[in-house]
Coordinates of all heavy atoms in Angstrom, one line a residue:
M79 N 31.3 19.6 5.2 CA 31.2 18.5 4.3 C 30.9 19.0 3.0 O 29.9 19.8 2.8 CB 30.1 17.5 4.8 CG 30.5 16.0 4.8 SD 29.1 15.1 5.2 CE 29.9 13.8 6.2
N80 N 31.6 18.6 2.0 CA 31.3 19.0 0.6 C 30.5 18.0 -0.2 O 30.4 16.9 0.3 CB 32.6 19.4 -0.2 CG 33.6 18.3 -0.3 OD1 33.1 17.1 -0.5 ND2 34.8 18.7 -0.4
V81 N 30.0 18.4 -1.3 CA 29.2 17.5 -2.1 C 29.9 16.1 -2.5 O 29.4 15.1 -2.3 CB 28.9 18.1 -3.4 CG1 28.1 17.2 -4.5 CG2 27.9 19.4 -3.1
Q82 N 31.2 16.3 -2.9 CA 32.0 15.1 -3.2 C 31.9 14.1 -2.0 O 31.7 12.8 -2.1 CB 33.3 15.4 -3.7 CG 33.9 14.4 -4.5 CD 33.1 13.9 -5.7 OE1 32.5 14.8 -6.5 NE2 32.9 12.7 -5.8
K83 N 32.2 14.6 -0.9 CA 32.3 13.8 0.4 C 30.9 13.2 0.7 O 30.9 11.9 1.0 CB 32.8 14.7 1.5 CG 33.0 14.1 2.8 CD 34.4 13.4 2.8 CE 34.5 12.5 4.0 NZ 35.1 11.2 3.8
I84 N 30.0 13.9 0.6 CA 28.7 13.4 0.8 C 28.3 12.2 -0.1 O 27.8 11.3 0.3 CB 27.5 14.6 0.7 CG1 27.6 15.6 1.9 CG2 26.2 14.0 0.7 CD1 26.8 16.7 1.8
K85 N 28.6 12.5 -1.4 CA 28.3 11.4 -2.3 C 29.1 10.1 -2.0 O 28.6 9.0 -2.2 CB 28.7 11.9 -3.8 CG 27.7 12.9 -4.4 CD 28.1 13.2 -5.8 CE 27.0 14.0 -6.5 NZ 27.3 14.5 -7.8
E86 N 30.4 10.3 -1.6 CA 31.1 9.2 -1.3 C 30.5 8.4 -0.1 O 30.3 7.2 0.0 CB 32.5 9.6 -0.8 CG 33.6 9.7 -1.9 CD 34.8 10.2 -1.4 OE1 35.3 10.1 -0.3 OE2 35.5 10.9 -2.3
E87 N 30.1 9.2 0.9 CA 29.3 8.6 2.1 C 28.1 7.8 1.7 O 27.8 6.8 2.1 CB 28.9 9.7 3.0 CG 30.1 10.4 3.9 CD 30.4 9.7 5.1 OE1 29.3 9.2 5.7 OE2 31.5 9.8 5.5
I88 N 27.4 8.4 0.6 CA 26.2 7.8 0.2 C 26.4 6.5 -0.4 O 25.8 5.4 -0.3 CB 25.4 8.7 -0.8 CG1 24.7 9.9 0.1 CG2 24.3 8.0 -1.5 CD1 24.0 11.0 -0.8
T89 N 27.4 6.5 -1.3 CA 27.9 5.3 -1.9 C 28.3 4.2 -0.9 O 27.8 3.0 -1.2 CB 29.0 5.5 -3.0 OG1 28.6 6.7 -3.9 CG2 29.3 4.3 -3.7
Q90 N 29.1 4.6 -0.1 CA 29.5 3.6 1.0 C 28.3 3.0 1.7 O 28.3 1.9 2.1 CB 30.5 4.2 2.1 CG 31.8 4.4 1.4 CD 32.8 5.2 2.4 OE1 32.4 5.5 3.5 NE2 34.0 5.7 1.9
M91 N 27.5 3.9 2.1 CA 26.3 3.5 2.9 C 25.4 2.5 2.1 O 24.9 1.5 2.6 CB 25.5 4.6 3.4 CG 26.0 5.2 4.6 SD 24.9 6.6 5.2 CE 26.1 7.4 6.4
K92 N 25.2 2.9 0.7 CA 24.4 1.9 -0.1 C 25.1 0.5 -0.1 O 24.4 -0.5 -0.2 CB 24.3 2.5 -1.5 CG 23.2 3.6 -1.6 CD 23.1 4.1 -3.0 CE 22.0 5.2 -3.1 NZ 22.1 5.9 -4.4
T93 N 26.4 0.5 -0.2 CA 27.1 -0.7 -0.4 C 26.9 -1.6 1.0 O 26.6 -2.7 0.9 CB 28.7 -0.4 -0.6 OG1 28.8 0.3 -1.8 CG2 29.4 -1.8 -0.6
S94 N 27.1 -0.8 2.2 CA 27.0 -1.7 3.3 C 25.5 -2.0 3.6 O 25.2 -3.0 4.0 CB 27.5 -0.9 4.5 OG 26.9 0.2 4.8
L95 N 24.5 -1.2 3.1 CA 23.0 -1.5 3.3 C 22.8 -2.8 2.4 O 22.2 -3.7 2.9 CB 22.3 -0.4 2.7 CG 20.8 -0.5 2.9 CD1 20.3 -0.7 4.3 CD2 20.0 0.6 2.2
S96 N 23.3 -2.7 1.1 CA 22.9 -4.0 0.4 C 23.6 -5.3 0.9 O 23.1 -6.3 0.9 CB 23.3 -3.8 -1.1 OG 24.6 -3.5 -1.3
F97 N 24.8 -5.1 1.6 CA 25.5 -6.2 2.1 C 24.6 -6.7 3.3 O 24.4 -7.9 3.4 CB 26.9 -5.8 2.6 CG 27.6 -6.8 3.6 CD1 28.1 -7.9 3.0 CD2 27.5 -6.7 5.0 CE1 28.7 -8.9 3.8 CE2 28.2 -7.6 5.8 CZ 28.7 -8.7 5.1
L98 N 24.1 -5.8 4.2 CA 23.3 -6.1 5.3 C 22.0 -6.8 4.9 O 21.6 -7.9 5.5 CB 23.0 -5.0 6.2 CG 24.2 -4.3 6.9 CD1 23.9 -2.9 7.6 CD2 24.6 -5.3 8.0
E99 N 21.5 -6.3 3.8 CA 20.1 -6.9 3.3 C 20.4 -8.3 2.9 O 19.6 -9.2 3.1 CB 19.5 -6.0 2.2 CG 18.8 -4.8 2.8 CD 18.3 -3.7 1.7 OE1 18.7 -3.8 0.5 OE2 17.6 -3.0 2.0
E100 N 21.5 -8.6 2.2 CA 21.8 -9.9 1.6 C 22.1 -10.8 2.9 O 21.6 -12.0 2.9 CB 23.1 -9.9 0.7 CG 22.8 -9.3 -0.7 CD 21.6 -10.0 -1.2 OE1 21.8 -11.2 -1.4 OE2 20.7 -9.4 -1.9
S101 N 22.7 -10.3 3.9 CA 23.0 -11.1 5.1 C 21.7 -11.5 5.6 O 21.5 -12.6 6.1 CB 23.9 -10.4 6.1 OG 25.0 -9.8 5.5
L102 N 20.9 -10.5 5.8 CA 19.5 -10.8 6.5 C 18.6 -11.8 5.6 O 18.1 -12.7 6.3 CB 18.9 -9.5 6.5 CG 17.4 -9.5 7.4 CD1 17.5 -10.0 8.8 CD2 16.9 -8.1 7.3
K103 N 18.8 -11.7 4.4 CA 18.0 -12.5 3.6 C 18.5 -13.9 3.7 O 17.8 -14.9 3.8 CB 18.1 -12.0 2.1 CG 16.9 -12.5 1.2 CD 17.2 -12.1 -0.2 CE 17.2 -10.6 -0.7 NZ 17.5 -10.3 -2.0
G104 N 19.9 -14.1 3.8 CA 20.4 -15.4 3.9 C 20.0 -16.0 5.2 O 19.8 -17.2 5.3
I105 N 20.0 -15.2 6.3 CA 19.6 -15.7 7.6 C 18.2 -16.2 7.6 O 17.8 -17.3 8.0 CB 19.9 -14.7 8.7 CG1 21.2 -14.5 8.9 CG2 19.2 -15.2 10.0 CD1 21.7 -13.3 9.9
Q106 N 17.3 -15.4 6.9 CA 15.9 -15.6 7.0 C 15.5 -16.9 6.1 O 14.7 -17.6 6.3 CB 15.0 -14.4 6.5 CG 15.2 -13.4 7.7 CD 14.4 -12.1 7.3 OE1 14.2 -11.8 6.1 NE2 13.8 -11.5 8.4
Q107 N 16.4 -17.0 5.0 CA 16.2 -18.2 4.2 C 16.5 -19.5 4.8 O 15.9 -20.5 4.5 CB 16.9 -18.0 2.9 CG 16.1 -17.3 1.8 CD 17.0 -16.9 0.5 OE1 18.2 -17.2 0.5 NE2 16.4 -16.2 -0.4
N108 N 17.5 -19.4 5.7 CA 18.1 -20.6 6.4 C 17.4 -20.8 7.7 O 17.7 -21.9 8.4 CB 19.5 -20.7 6.6 CG 20.3 -20.7 5.1 OD1 20.0 -21.5 4.4 ND2 21.2 -19.7 5.0
C109 N 16.5 -20.1 8.1 CA 15.9 -20.1 9.4 C 14.9 -21.2 9.4 O 14.0 -21.4 8.3 CB 15.2 -18.7 9.8 SG 14.5 -18.8 11.3
E110 N 14.7 -21.9 10.5 CA 13.6 -22.8 10.7 C 12.6 -22.0 11.4 O 12.6 -21.9 12.7 CB 14.0 -24.1 11.4 CG 14.9 -24.9 10.6 CD 15.5 -26.1 11.5 OE1 14.9 -26.5 12.6 OE2 16.6 -26.6 11.2
H111 N 11.7 -21.4 10.6 CA 10.9 -20.3 11.3 C 9.9 -20.8 12.3 O 9.5 -21.9 12.2 CB 9.9 -19.7 10.2 CG 10.7 -19.0 9.1 ND1 11.6 -18.0 9.3 CD2 10.8 -19.3 7.7 CE1 12.1 -17.7 8.1 NE2 11.7 -18.5 7.1
R112 N 9.7 -20.0 13.4 CA 8.8 -20.2 14.5 C 7.9 -19.0 14.4 O 8.2 -18.0 15.0 CB 9.3 -20.6 15.6 CG 9.3 -22.1 16.1 CD 9.8 -22.3 17.5 NE 8.9 -21.5 18.5 CZ 9.5 -21.2 19.6 NH1 10.7 -21.4 19.9 NH2 8.7 -20.5 20.5
F113 N 6.8 -19.1 13.7 CA 5.9 -18.0 13.5 C 4.9 -17.7 14.7 O 4.5 -18.8 15.3 CB 5.0 -18.0 12.3 CG 5.8 -17.7 11.1 CD1 6.2 -18.7 10.2 CD2 6.4 -16.5 10.9 CE1 7.0 -18.5 9.1 CE2 7.2 -16.1 9.7 CZ 7.4 -17.1 8.8
D114 N 4.7 -16.5 15.1 CA 3.8 -16.2 16.2 C 3.0 -14.9 15.7 O 3.6 -14.1 15.0 CB 4.6 -15.8 17.4 CG 3.6 -15.6 18.6 OD1 2.5 -16.2 18.7 OD2 3.9 -14.9 19.5
G115 N 1.7 -15.0 15.9 CA 0.9 -13.8 15.5 C -0.6 -14.1 15.6 O -1.0 -15.0 16.2
D116 N -1.2 -13.5 14.7 CA -2.7 -13.8 14.5 C -3.2 -14.2 13.1 O -2.2 -14.3 12.3 CB -3.4 -12.7 15.1 CG -3.2 -11.3 14.4 OD1 -2.8 -11.2 13.2 OD2 -3.2 -10.3 15.2
Q117 N -4.4 -14.0 12.7 CA -4.7 -14.4 11.3 C -4.3 -13.4 10.3 O -4.5 -13.5 9.0 CB -6.3 -14.7 11.3 CG -7.2 -13.6 11.4 CD -7.7 -13.4 12.8 OE1 -6.9 -13.5 13.7 NE2 -8.9 -13.1 12.9
Y118 N -3.9 -12.1 10.7 CA -3.5 -11.1 9.8 C -2.1 -10.9 9.5 O -1.6 -10.5 8.5 CB -4.1 -9.8 10.2 CG -5.6 -9.8 10.4 CD1 -6.1 -9.6 11.7 CD2 -6.4 -9.8 9.3 CE1 -7.5 -9.7 11.8 CE2 -7.8 -9.8 9.5 CZ -8.3 -9.7 10.7 OH -9.7 -9.9 10.9
Y119 N -1.4 -11.5 10.5 CA 0.1 -11.0 10.7 C 0.9 -12.0 11.4 O 0.4 -12.3 12.5 CB 0.1 -9.6 11.2 CG 1.5 -9.0 11.6 CD1 2.1 -8.2 10.6 CD2 2.1 -9.4 12.7 CE1 3.3 -7.5 11.1 CE2 3.4 -8.8 13.1 CZ 3.9 -7.8 12.2 OH 5.0 -7.4 12.5
E120 N 1.9 -12.6 10.9 CA 2.8 -13.3 11.7 C 4.1 -13.0 11.6 O 4.7 -12.6 10.6 CB 2.5 -14.9 11.3 CG 2.9 -15.2 10.0 CD 2.6 -16.7 9.7 OE1 1.8 -17.3 10.5 OE2 3.0 -17.1 8.7
K121 N 4.9 -13.2 12.7 CA 6.4 -12.9 12.7 C 7.1 -13.9 13.3 O 6.7 -14.7 14.2 CB 6.5 -11.6 13.5 CG 8.0 -11.0 13.5 CD 8.1 -9.7 13.9 CE 8.7 -9.5 15.3 NZ 8.9 -8.1 15.6
C122 N 8.3 -14.3 12.6 CA 9.1 -15.4 13.2 C 9.8 -14.9 14.4 O 10.3 -13.8 14.5 CB 10.0 -15.8 12.1 SG 11.3 -17.1 12.7
L123 N 9.8 -15.7 15.4 CA 10.4 -15.4 16.7 C 11.9 -15.5 16.7 O 12.6 -14.7 17.4 CB 10.0 -16.3 17.8 CG 8.4 -16.4 18.0 CD1 8.1 -17.5 19.0 CD2 7.9 -15.0 18.6
K124 N 12.4 -16.2 15.7 CA 13.8 -16.3 15.6 C 14.6 -15.3 14.7 O 15.7 -14.8 15.0 CB 14.3 -17.7 15.2 CG 13.8 -18.8 16.2 CD 13.6 -20.2 15.6 CE 14.8 -20.9 15.6 NZ 14.7 -22.4 15.0
C125 N 14.0 -15.1 13.5 CA 14.7 -14.2 12.5 C 13.9 -12.9 12.2 O 14.3 -12.1 11.4 CB 15.0 -14.9 11.4 SG 13.5 -15.2 10.2
D126 N 12.7 -12.7 12.8 CA 12.0 -11.5 12.6 C 11.2 -11.3 11.2 O 10.9 -10.3 10.8 CB 12.8 -10.2 12.8 CG 12.6 -9.7 14.3 OD1 12.0 -10.4 15.2 OD2 12.9 -8.5 14.5
K127 N 11.3 -12.4 10.5 CA 10.7 -12.4 9.2 C 9.2 -12.2 9.4 O 8.5 -12.8 10.3 CB 10.9 -13.7 8.4 CG 10.4 -13.7 7.0 CD 10.6 -15.0 6.3 CE 9.9 -15.2 5.0 NZ 10.1 -14.2 4.0
V128 N 8.5 -11.4 8.6 CA 7.2 -11.0 8.8 C 6.4 -11.6 7.5 O 6.7 -11.4 6.5 CB 6.9 -9.5 8.9 CG1 5.5 -9.0 8.8 CG2 7.5 -9.1 10.2
N129 N 5.3 -12.2 7.8 CA 4.2 -12.5 6.8 C 2.9 -11.8 7.0 O 2.4 -11.9 8.1 CB 4.0 -14.1 6.7 CG 5.1 -14.8 6.2 OD1 5.9 -14.3 5.4 ND2 5.3 -16.0 6.7
V130 N 2.5 -11.1 6.0 CA 1.3 -10.5 6.1 C 0.2 -11.4 5.4 O 0.5 -11.7 4.3 CB 1.2 -9.1 5.5 CG1 -0.2 -8.5 5.5 CG2 2.2 -8.1 6.1
L131 N -0.8 -11.9 6.1 CA -1.6 -12.9 5.6 C -2.8 -12.4 4.8 O -3.2 -13.0 3.9 CB -2.0 -13.8 6.8 CG -0.8 -14.5 7.5 CD1 -1.2 -15.3 8.7 CD2 0.0 -15.3 6.6
Y132 N -3.4 -11.3 5.3 CA -4.5 -10.6 4.7 C -4.2 -9.2 4.6 O -3.6 -8.5 5.4 CB -5.8 -10.8 5.5 CG -6.3 -12.2 5.4 CD1 -5.9 -13.2 6.5 CD2 -7.0 -12.8 4.4 CE1 -6.4 -14.4 6.5 CE2 -7.4 -14.1 4.4 CZ -7.1 -14.8 5.3 OH -7.5 -16.2 5.3
Y133 N -4.7 -8.6 3.4 CA -4.5 -7.2 3.3 C -5.8 -6.4 3.6 O -6.8 -6.9 3.5 CB -4.0 -6.9 1.9 CG -2.6 -7.4 1.6 CD1 -2.5 -8.7 1.0 CD2 -1.5 -6.6 2.0 CE1 -1.2 -9.2 0.9 CE2 -0.3 -7.2 1.7 CZ -0.1 -8.5 1.2 OH 1.2 -8.8 1.0
Ligands
ZN378 ZN1 12.6 -17.3 10.9

């Protein structure tokens, strides 16, 4: 694998990564969350969205 090829791969991966992140964000925005957890941390059972409640 040469440098050019590696750079191409990186670009492609970044593109699909941001596509996936957007898809995930869309799902989580439209989810009717059902959170489960404790007073510090809760996670939606349906979309895996995490809320940290105390730091
Ligand atoms: Zn959810």
Side-chain angles (χ1 to χ4, degrees):
M79 228 187 219
N80 62 33
V81 170
Q82 203 51 48
K83 184 81 188 139
I84 292 173
K85 284 182 171 174
E86 274 173 29
E87 289 264 329
I88 290 174
T89 304
Q90 282 173 11
M91 282 182 185
K92 279 182 178 166
T93 305
S94 64
L95 183 64
S96 58
F97 171 77
L98 290 172
E99 282 173 342
E100 285 305 310
S101 308
L102 184 60
K103 210 187 288 177
I105 291 170
Q106 289 181 330
Q107 271 169 1
N108 292 312
C109 178
E110 293 173 23
H111 300 303
R112 252 186 60 207
F113 286 110
D114 187 31
D116 54 33
Q117 70 265 44
Y118 301 110
Y119 171 98
E120 61 181 12
K121 186 163 107 172
C122 175
L123 299 171
K124 292 157 90 178
C125 75
D126 262 21
K127 184 178 168 62
V128 168
N129 284 331
V130 178
L131 304 172
Y132 290 97
Y133 291 94

